[in-house]
Amino acid sequence: MLGMKGVKIVEVGLRDGLQNETTNLSVEQRYDLFERLSDAGIKNIEIGAFVSPKWVPQMAVSSELASMIVPDLKKSKSKVNVSTLVPNLEGMLQALEADIPEIAIFAACSESFSKKNINCTIDESFKRFEPVMKLAKEHKVRVRGYLSTCFGCPFEGKVSEAKVVAIAKRMYKMGVYEISIGDTIGVATPGQVESLFKKLKKALPVAKLAGHFHDTRGTALANILAAYNVGVRTFDSSIGGLGGCPYAPGAAGNVATEDVVYLFDGMKVKTGVDLNKLLATNAWLQPQMDHALPSKVGRVGKAKPIGKV
Amino acid sequence: MLGMKGVKIVEVGLRDGLQNETTNLSVEQRYDLFERLSDAGIKNIEIGAFVSPKWVPQMAVSSELASMIVPDLKKSKSKVNVSTLVPNLEGMLQALEADIPEIAIFAACSESFSKKNINCTIDESFKRFEPVMKLAKEHKVRVRGYLSTCFGCPFEGKVSEAKVVAIAKRMYKMGVYEISIGDTIGVATPGQVESLFKKLKKALPVAKLAGHFHDTRGTALANILAAYNVGVRTFDSSIGGLGGCPYAPGAAGNVATEDVVYLFDGMKVKTGVDLNKLLATNAWLQPQMDHALPSKVGRVGKAKPIGKV
């Protein structure tokens, strides 16, 4: 299958996961989680968001967490790449204050979602990026881009592929090094994934694209497989499937990192991540959350043959 | 993708699903479930097993259920194909008594599993099939074959592809019209699925092969996609994901019929099954079971756009 060996896993549990949980982990718990993820071999970890704690109280400790992580990483010349989500200039100033080496910006692919989520049009959100990108360039901060509702919008339903491609191109031209194509509400199926990524590949280098799938309807791994089969090599995931509650209707979140690594281990595709360490992290994390973690591999583990009968 | 339009869904919830549940549904509940599944457009439904109630008490009402279903189907010349699992001559005699138009036989692909599951070697299990197949031919009863542990054995671990292919060929030569290739313990990943089915296709017509995936590690839909991509067009599934409990470790069962139909609907591949009716069946079934049904689509439904903001 297509060039490039191995895949890159971008761990978003500390951000996209925790921001959708009712359990508000302490900064110490988050630090421990970061250490475990990093020890498991994950090289790209989003640790939080510089957003108003009024909007997202779960992200209030992001600055404090960054101050516990970033100086040590820089001192040790670690290869672990940490990032935070930044919605606007104010967030960018916090990111610079925290000396974060990478930020992520985000835009929606449907006007209704943009309006509801960040109270502005897609055009306006791109205007907000300008001063952020300018500062990022000045301070040599890498910028990743997220596009949400690429496969469907909770308000408008269908989202046109042409619109997603146009917005992705626009974001890429601003200077982001990678664009994560998000199935925010977890509606995508593999045919749609194949079709959209094929169109995106014509507009952008496929190495610059990532897949960000939510497992709301159980299709996330099938979608990852479909994206992999058309050449996508970067995938976002959350340890344990954080952000999704298997008990509550409608609440399934990011695909679980354990499940993604299990999938690729089985396909002999390198992730650089140690599944056993992820499973240990899941076992450590589980009692700290108020619900069972959705990861299926996290729940049952790898198969352990009992021995011949 | 590859010839043949659409896929065939074989509903196994009333057998493989219920035999692994602690809730023992009454024969009336099962009859209602059958009616709903059939009304949803499912054309192939396994309704039970003629096995010793000492071994599998959940299947004790299979004869009674058959007597409620089969005569009506024959009278109405229904296109719904019902079957029951038959392990041996005794079971076959019950099937003939019940006037069942189709039975299913099963063999393991690992000696340890065969020994533990049916207390005989694989060879011995094939000897048991001989009188069953003879009677089936005489009475014009169709026979489907199941192969279990095709992707891994809980005792031995790895199962050789060559062994699976050899056993599949042997079963096919006995006169079964279709062979269902089972991931009994839900360990398979797409690369393995692709590899095994490619080998099977060289030995048997692909139209005679079915995929039977358990979602223990969340990979069932990805495995179905991989099998579909190499030409497999028949898949077994259980309404709601019956047979698997999302609360209990290690207990995830058959992939859910709703999730499979959602996947193929999204891919514009015809199943002939009405997802809305399946979702209504899930909602009806859920309160009768002692745990949440694993189907993710069953839990959240299809996406329903709220309307533009």
Side-chain angles (χ1 to χ4, degrees), chain A residues 251-268:
Chain A
N254 290 283
V255 65
T257 309
E258 301 91 307
D259 297 3
V260 176
V261 171
Y262 181 83
L263 179 88
F264 284 121
D265 276 1
M267 294 169 67
K268 317 260 183 261

Side-chain angles (χ1 to χ4, degrees), chain A residues 3 69 75 98 162 173 185 198 207-208 232 237 250 266 276 287 290 309:
Chain A
I69 291 172
K75 209 161 69 186
K173 278 189 187 156
I185 55 169
K198 278 187 176 168
K208 301 293 182 182
V232 179
S237 62
N276 290 325
D290 62 1
V309 174

Side-chain angles (χ1 to χ4, degrees), chain B residues 27-252:
Chain B
V27 70
E28 290 78 17
Q29 287 172 306
R30 289 169 202 237
Y31 180 78
D32 286 353
L33 180 52
F34 169 81
E35 289 278 289
R36 285 170 178 271
L37 293 167
S38 145
D39 182 57
I42 303 182
K43 291 276 173 285
N44 294 275
I45 305 177
E46 201 178 43
I47 61 169
F50 292 127
V51 292
S52 163
K54 263 193 294 180
W55 294 357
V56 193
Q58 295 94 329
M59 292 294 109
V61 297
S62 295
S63 280
E64 197 182 345
L65 183 59
S67 75
M68 292 166 77
I69 291 172
V70 177
D72 278 355
L73 286 184
K74 294 218 167 174
K75 207 161 70 185
S76 67
K77 292 182 182 167
S78 166
K79 281 185 183 158
V80 175
N81 184 39
V82 299
S83 70
T84 53
L85 196 73
V86 156
N88 49 30
L89 183 58
E90 203 183 331
M92 185 62 198
L93 294 172
Q94 285 180 272
L96 290 175
E97 177 77 27
D99 201 18
I100 292 280
E102 175 176 328
I103 60 150
I105 58 174
F106 59 99
C109 291
S110 94
E111 291 294 351
S112 295
F113 193 81
S114 188
K115 196 82 193 158
K116 272 286 191 184
N117 193 37
I118 49 174
N119 199 29
C120 67
T121 66
I122 296 171
D123 251 344
E124 285 162 357
S125 72
F126 272 86
K127 292 214 175 72
R128 286 187 194 168
F129 299 151
E130 285 170 14
V132 172
M133 295 303 293
K134 194 165 168 281
L135 277 175
K137 259 173 220 165
E138 275 174 35
H139 294 268
K140 297 197 170 103
V141 173
R142 297 211 303 171
V143 185
R144 190 174 198 243
Y146 282 107
L147 291 189
S148 59
T149 61
C150 298
F151 299 93
C153 165
F155 305 101
E156 299 179 17
K158 279 196 184 178
V159 171
S160 107
E161 290 183 333
K163 189 159 190 182
V164 178
V165 173
I167 297 172
K169 271 168 80 173
R170 186 172 175 184
M171 196 176 246
Y172 186 61
K173 278 188 189 157
M174 292 192 85
V176 303
Y177 79 91
E178 187 170 278
I179 299 185
S180 175
I181 303 298
D183 182 16
T184 312
I185 54 170
V187 290
T189 47
Q192 193 187 3
V193 171
E194 187 183 322
S195 171
L196 179 59
F197 275 106
K198 278 186 177 170
K199 289 194 174 69
L200 285 163
K201 273 171 69 176
K202 285 183 191 159
L204 298 169
V206 68
K208 300 293 182 184
L209 297 170
H212 180 107
F213 295 106
H214 284 221
D215 202 30
T216 319
R217 289 168 183 81
T219 55
L221 290 185
N223 291 337
I224 286 174
L225 178 64
Y228 179 83
N229 283 342
V230 295
V232 178
R233 291 293 178 268
T234 301
F235 296 99
D236 301 353
S237 62
S238 279
I239 180 74
L242 272 181
C245 170
Y247 297 81

Side-chain angles (χ1 to χ4, degrees), chain A residues 1 111-113 115-116 153-158 185-192 194 215-219 221-223 225-226 229 245-252 259 262-268 292 294 296-297 299-309, chain B residues 1 111-113 115-116 153-158 185-192 194 215-219 221-223 225-226 229 245-252 259 262-268 292 294 296-297 299-309:
Chain A
M1 309 199 188
E111 292 294 350
S112 295
F113 193 81
K115 197 81 192 159
K116 272 285 191 185
C153 165
F155 306 102
E156 300 178 15
K158 279 197 183 175
I185 55 169
V187 289
T189 46
Q192 194 187 2
E194 185 182 324
D215 202 30
T216 318
R217 289 169 183 82
T219 56
L221 290 185
N223 291 337
L225 178 64
N229 283 341
C245 171
Y247 296 82
D259 297 3
Y262 181 83
L263 179 88
F264 284 121
D265 276 1
M267 294 169 67
K268 317 260 183 261
K296 286 195 171 165
V297 180
R299 219 168 297 155
V300 303
K302 298 192 281 189
K304 290 179 201 78
I306 299 162
K308 283 199 183 190
V309 174
Chain B
M1 311 199 190
E111 291 294 351
S112 295
F113 193 81
K115 196 82 193 158
K116 272 286 191 184
C153 165
F155 305 101
E156 299 179 17
K158 279 196 184 178
I185 54 170
V187 290
T189 47
Q192 193 187 3
E194 187 183 322
D215 202 30
T216 319
R217 289 168 183 81
T219 55
L221 290 185
N223 291 337
L225 178 64
N229 283 342
C245 170
Y247 297 81
D259 297 2
Y262 181 83
L263 179 89
F264 284 121
D265 277 0
M267 293 169 68
K268 317 263 183 257
K296 285 194 171 166
V297 179
R299 219 167 299 155
V300 304
K302 298 193 281 189
K304 290 180 200 78
I306 299 163
K308 282 200 183 189
V309 174

